[in-house]
Amino acid sequence: MKPSELVDNISDNNDTTIEPQNLNTMSKTNKTMWHKLPLDKVLTELNSDSEHGLSELEAQHRLKHFGPNLLTPRRGKGPIKLFLSQLHQPLVYILLISGATTAFLQEWVDSSVIFGVVLVNAIIGFIQEANALRAIDALSRVLNISCTVIRDGQKRTLSAVDLVPGDVVALQSGDKIPADIRLLQSRELQIDESALTGESVPVSKQPTKLDSGTLLADRKNMAYSSTLVTFGSGLGVVIETGDRTEIGLINSMIASATDLDTPLTKKMTQFSHLLLWLIVDFAVLTFAVGVWRGESMLNMFMASVALAVGAIPEGLPAALTITLAIGVSRMAKRNAIIRKLPAVETLGSTTVICSDKTGTLTQNQMTVQAIYAGGEHFTVTGSGYTPKGDFQFNDTAIQPSSRPALLESLKAGVLCNDARLISEAEQWRIEGDPTEAALLVVARKAGLHLADVSNDHPRLDTIPFESQHQFMATLHRNVTQDLRHIYLKGSLESVLERCDSAFDAQMSIVPLNADVLHEQLQRMAEQGLRVLAFARCDHCDNDVRHEEVRTGLTFLGLQAMIDPPRPEAAAAIAACYQAGIQVKMITGDHPVTALAIARQLGMKNVNRVISGSELQAMDTNRYEQLVDNSDIYARIAPEQKLQLVRALQANGQVVAMTGDGVNDAPALRQADIGVAMGLGGTEVAKEAAAMVLTDDQFATIEAAVEEGRGVFDNLVKFIAWTLPTNLGEGLLIMAAVFANVALPITPVQILWINMTTAVLLGLMLAFEPKEPGLMDRKPRNPDQPILTKHLVFRVCLVGLLLLTGAFGLFEWELSQGESLAKARTVAVNVFVCCEIFYLFNCRSLNYSMFKVGIFSNLWVIFGVVSMVLLQAMFTYWPPMQALFGSEAIGLHDWLLILAAGLIVYFTVGFEKLLMRWLR
């Protein structure tokens, strides 16, 4: 019987039906228990029949009761509410206050610019959040498929949406599983569950009942929604639909996963609140002191407005967005696509990377690495599906053609095989089972091409792989010698019981030594390798039957394979350790395989693997004690991944979670930054993630972490540069009020300073290259404020220098009999000149600009030149003089202004030197 014939023997004319049942009396079987029930009990619980299925009337009744087989989308914010929520941020409050203040002063251009910044920020945030909430929509699209159902004893094609519990579904190769199904029959059925469980190869399925404690990844009698049939056929009964399926559980976990504020947004929120209250307090103090001294309330109100305008860093939100956007651009060049702007900086704050194994740390391409044939052990180099590599014996390269037993074992792997290896545009891909594809690749490395070998040994008959027999056999005619051979492959146990002899290295028949073979199997298994055994039979007829391969075969050899680590992953993990970042493997694969890969990658804490069954038996409260000391987790269910991420976050860690499957999506969304694979990842994973890797390489994460640290450095540089100006302007206004003198700078002049310098000077720091030794630092403490005590001291120092220089020269100009307009012009130029020199200081927070390179950031030079030209226009161009109340100044004034700037530069330079000495 062919695999496709399994469902064809169901009568299309059987009129027996199952009448509508009272659904309220149906047994409330726990969905995690279906796998432990015998088949008759399953059908009884569901009031169904394996041959006739449900009646159409019963199916419609159940559809009304259970609802359509769809995932319920999470109700999100409406477009208007979502857009308005972008304005509900302290930084935006500061901008709105600035805009309202400038509008009150009838400075319509400045007001329009500020409100424009608010609008752009809100639009960007709206787009980013709308995109991030599409993950569940992607999950809903997964279920939009058709399926073959048995109803009223007849086969019919239905939309998966109409499936109900109790429906009997026929499965064929290539089908996507439409719901959670308990298998009733199987014929060589294999299902790819990698997207759900992380299992790297298709799983053979059979309907036998299992123990109640069997983990999700080991439930051989179940087929889960969204997984894919890769081979064979089967029949099963639907047990769960829609939100009650395993993928529905993942959907609900995505919906419940918390979108955490990033370290940057947390710090900026705290910083903005603090700054807002300081500004209000100083403005009120200035107003109160002035009124107490007898000044008019109107004048003091305008002075307070000037102080507020000066103290508000209008350019900070725009600088934040642009700096992050530049980080996005830099990361894109290094194959990392950012979907949420703050994720750029979050990577730089990461303390733990939780990585899936299959497709992330490994290539997701099974590769033969060891062969035992003719009593000799060989190793094979190369990885993945590219057929390049050498054969080695005792660490010495050999020609496979000189080893007859090795060559015959490889030939057996080619002939007893249904996969295909295809070359397209210098890339290799496979069709069929990855394990069989690995056999084709290793044979091609030895010069055995599928087409050539098949032509010389045409296939005459086949016994397909069946899980109960654990082997596959094919009959071939040797064209050259006009002989017939049966080649058989399978598990060592199934092959050994059929063999009574073995081939030695020269293909002579010798006695079979089973103990040696079991020893070889044990050695390979300890390395996490999956082992296939091969045998040959030379006495055969024109077809092959089970009786003919029951005994009398000659053992050929073993081929051992693994999904190998990505070549660059070990170096990337080492770089993460150097940077103080923990790396944890969380996979659905087998513990032995996970441990072997972890050791090959040089991971830490590889003495123990925590399995999903151990976590299942453990109180979730103990997770927080476990996660900091254990790095390898295997056979992990989706909900356990989510719990592990939450436990790490509860311990104060900033967690980056990588993954590519549907099973990774809840943890990707919960993590501080979710990282999905762009090439091999599912759409669900990509939608749930904040970052997508276009090359699927773990090494790209390490590069992105480096870029993230550089972005945060540049943000801190901008903040450390801009705050002294705001502090100095605020102190200058307060000093004037307390000294009972005219304001040294007017509100409109303050706006000129803040807006022009922020754009032409401060933003140039966003283009600063990364400083040396960036990845040698430990991760920042998540609780550490944006500005350390050292930088707060520097901000205050420079603010006082600006106050001293501007107020001193302002008073000096007035004492020389100069006009108020000229004195104010000198004060404005003092601020701009000092900011220019301080900008050079801020190119590195700890070293001089000569160490980072004077010309390593040409944008700084461009900004300084542009600012100088604008200040010349501010000072000498009549329209600007009329607009800002400025007046021309002389060379002597410029020399004094230049001296003030040099004092700032050398003072900060000395402070840096002193701090380095004190460390």
Side-chain angles (χ1 to χ4, degrees), residues 365 382-389 421 426 428 441 445:
Q365 297 182 353
S383 63
Y385 295 142
T386 301
K388 294 181 180 179
L421 182 64
E426 299 182 358
W428 292 87
V441 174
K445 292 176 182 178

Side-chain angles (χ1 to χ4, degrees), residues 271 274 288 334 336 362 402 431 507 513 542 613 647 670 852:
F271 175 73
L274 175 62
R334 301 186 74 170
T362 66
S402 66
E431 288 183 357
M507 291 299 292
N513 190 332
N542 293 328
S613 56
Q670 174 68 37
V852 299

Side-chain angles (χ1 to χ4, degrees), residues 41-121:
K41 180 66 173 176
V42 171
L43 293 170
T44 300
E45 292 285 329
L46 293 166
N47 293 324
S48 187
D49 184 275
S50 61
E51 293 185 4
H52 311 121
L54 299 175
S55 68
E56 190 62 39
L57 183 61
E58 173 72 5
Q60 293 302 318
H61 186 46
R62 294 188 183 191
L63 186 62
K64 291 180 181 178
H65 181 82
F66 292 105
N69 183 27
L70 290 172
L71 300 180
T72 303
R74 182 177 68 171
R75 288 193 63 183
K77 303 173 184 175
I80 295 177
K81 188 175 181 180
L82 186 62
F83 179 80
L84 292 177
S85 68
Q86 308 305 315
L87 304 178
H88 185 54
Q89 303 173 38
L91 281 177
V92 177
Y93 296 156
I94 293 177
L95 278 180
L96 290 174
I97 292 172
S98 301
T101 304
T102 52
F104 177 80
L105 296 172
Q106 298 185 357
E107 297 296 334
W108 306 118
V109 174
D110 295 318
S111 180
S112 299
V113 170
I114 294 172
F115 284 125
V117 169
V118 173
L119 181 62
V120 169
N121 284 342

Side-chain angles (χ1 to χ4, degrees), residues 132 311 545 693:
R545 297 181 297 274
L693 306 183

Side-chain angles (χ1 to χ4, degrees), residues 612-651:
S613 56
E614 289 182 70
L615 292 179
Q616 195 173 33
M618 186 184 301
D619 191 328
T620 54
N621 294 329
R622 290 186 55 199
Y623 281 22
E624 294 175 18
Q625 304 170 10
L626 176 74
V627 290
D628 281 340
N629 300 315
S630 302
D631 289 350
I632 316 297
Y633 301 85
R635 273 298 191 248
I636 300 299
E639 64 271 17
Q640 291 173 329
K641 289 188 177 185
L642 184 61
Q643 290 164 353
L644 288 171
V645 170
R646 285 174 172 164
L648 285 165
Q649 291 170 333
N651 288 348

Side-chain angles (χ1 to χ4, degrees), residues 752-753 756-757 761 802 827-837 867-868 871 897:
W752 166 262
I753 295 171
T756 56
T757 58
L761 299 180
L802 286 169
V828 169
N829 279 293
V830 166
F831 267 93
V832 173
C833 183
C834 290
E835 284 187 83
I836 288 174
F837 279 100
M867 193 67 233
V868 169
Q871 278 307 111
I897 292 168

Side-chain angles (χ1 to χ4, degrees), residues 551-563:
T551 59
L553 275 68
T554 305
F555 189 83
L556 273 174
L558 303 171
Q559 294 194 43
M561 63 195 70
I562 197 170
D563 177 15

